[in-house]
Amino acid sequence: MAHHASALKQMRQSRKRRDRNRRNTSQVKSQIRKLRTLVAQGDAKAAQAALDGTISEIDRAAKKGVVHRNAAARYKSRLSKKISALAGA
């Protein structure tokens, strides 16, 4: 356990950041999971409607640095491709 005031403050800050990052990561993952479930069920209209919210959530996470911007682009691309294939079928 740290004893210096600066070390104690750093521990408090890192705990806050870790909790915030976990919360944001969890939101993104659950949103993606919901969308993938809709795609697996074959519900094209609901999946298309959920895509906008999911992309927004991914962009927000990338902006905050929780998800790397290239990873965010990859998620969005793959999800969009799946939904396009579902709508075309």
Side-chain angles (χ1 to χ4, degrees):
M1 182 71 187
H3 297 291
H4 295 285
S6 60
L8 291 169
K9 180 179 177 181
Q10 185 60 46
M11 285 176 59
R12 286 194 306 270
Q13 288 177 331
S14 45
R15 189 179 316 123
K16 259 192 222 176
R17 289 186 189 116
R18 184 177 62 239
D19 291 343
R20 189 179 310 132
N21 286 337
R22 276 188 183 163
R23 191 168 46 249
N24 290 332
T25 306
S26 176
Q27 284 177 336
V28 170
K29 284 183 177 181
S30 59
Q31 194 77 15
I32 290 172
R33 199 176 305 119
K34 287 176 191 172
L35 185 60
R36 285 181 178 155
T37 303
L38 290 172
V39 170
Q41 291 172 352
D43 194 353
K45 289 191 186 247
Q48 185 64 42
L51 180 65
D52 295 335
T54 304
I55 286 178
S56 173
E57 197 71 43
I58 291 169
D59 285 338
R60 192 174 302 124
K63 180 181 168 189
K64 292 178 179 180
V66 175
V67 177
H68 193 274
R69 59 189 177 92
N70 291 350
R74 187 176 62 240
Y75 287 147
K76 293 188 297 187
S77 173
R78 288 179 181 173
L79 291 171
S80 299
K81 194 190 297 187
K82 283 183 182 182
I83 291 176
S84 296
L86 185 66

